[in-house]
Amino acid sequence: MSDETVRFTVSLPRKLFDNMDKEVCDKSYQSRSEYIRDLFRERQVDHHWDNAQDEVIGVLTLIFDHHQRGLTEKLVEIQHDHSVFILCSTHVHISHNDCLETIIIRGNAKEVNQLANSIGALKGVKLSRLTKAAQV
């Protein structure tokens, strides 16, 4: 694959263009082109996950109420019961009630998604976000 840069023109409705420009500025992108490259990379990662035959890797970020009865045990049980590899986890206390946990996961894309969905659906989990990663 060549790393030659190709120029092309994109037409957008004014409102969409203005929203994009605001985000480019808000997120300190150096150019609209870099912003669009990031969008394309994200789409490629999603496409890779949707069609993955090999293992994928992701990071599950959680915020949960550690006072929720039985939640900690359920989190551990779900991680042990799925056929994915938990490579690493980090647990941080962010308030009296809440914990933030990041879990680096490797495995079949469908299984990783199922694990993330199972954990996200637990009572006491306030945020569950899976960040998909892939080399594209």
Side-chain angles (χ1 to χ4, degrees), residues 3 12 17 19 21 39-40 61 94 106 113 132 134:
D3 60 354
L12 297 172
F17 177 81
N19 289 342
D21 248 11
L39 291 177
F40 286 158
T61 303
I94 57 175
R106 186 182 76 211
N113 281 319
K132 300 173 182 179

Side-chain angles (χ1 to χ4, degrees), residues 70-136:
L71 178 58
T72 304
E73 292 81 9
K74 288 177 188 172
L75 287 170
V76 172
E77 184 179 314
I78 289 171
Q79 291 177 56
H80 281 277
D81 287 348
H82 277 75
S83 59
V84 297
F85 299 102
I86 306 298
L87 302 177
C88 174
S89 66
T90 303
H91 182 97
V92 179
H93 304 276
I94 57 175
S95 73
H96 177 71
N97 292 326
D98 294 329
C99 295
L100 178 136
E101 195 159 321
T102 58
I103 307 167
I104 301 174
I105 308 166
R106 186 182 76 211
N108 171 279
K110 183 178 177 182
E111 288 286 327
V112 170
N113 281 319
Q114 287 175 345
L115 173 101
N117 292 337
S118 296
I119 288 175
L122 293 173
K123 185 174 182 180
V125 174
K126 297 178 177 181
L127 171 100
S128 176
R129 178 163 296 146
L130 177 62
T131 303
K132 300 173 182 179
Q135 290 181 313
V136 290

Side-chain angles (χ1 to χ4, degrees), residues 22-63:
K22 182 178 180 334
E23 194 163 333
V24 166
C25 186
D26 289 349
K27 293 189 176 183
S28 301
Y29 278 95
Q30 300 218 346
S31 67
R32 291 182 194 117
S33 293
E34 191 57 42
Y35 175 82
I36 291 170
R37 280 191 285 273
D38 267 1
L39 291 177
F40 286 158
R41 287 183 198 112
E42 286 180 32
R43 294 290 297 189
Q44 286 182 318
V45 169
D46 288 342
H47 179 75
H48 175 82
W49 270 61
D50 291 344
N51 300 294
Q53 300 300 317
D54 53 347
E55 289 186 329
V56 295
I57 192 162
V59 179
L60 181 61
T61 303
L62 306 171
I63 294 180

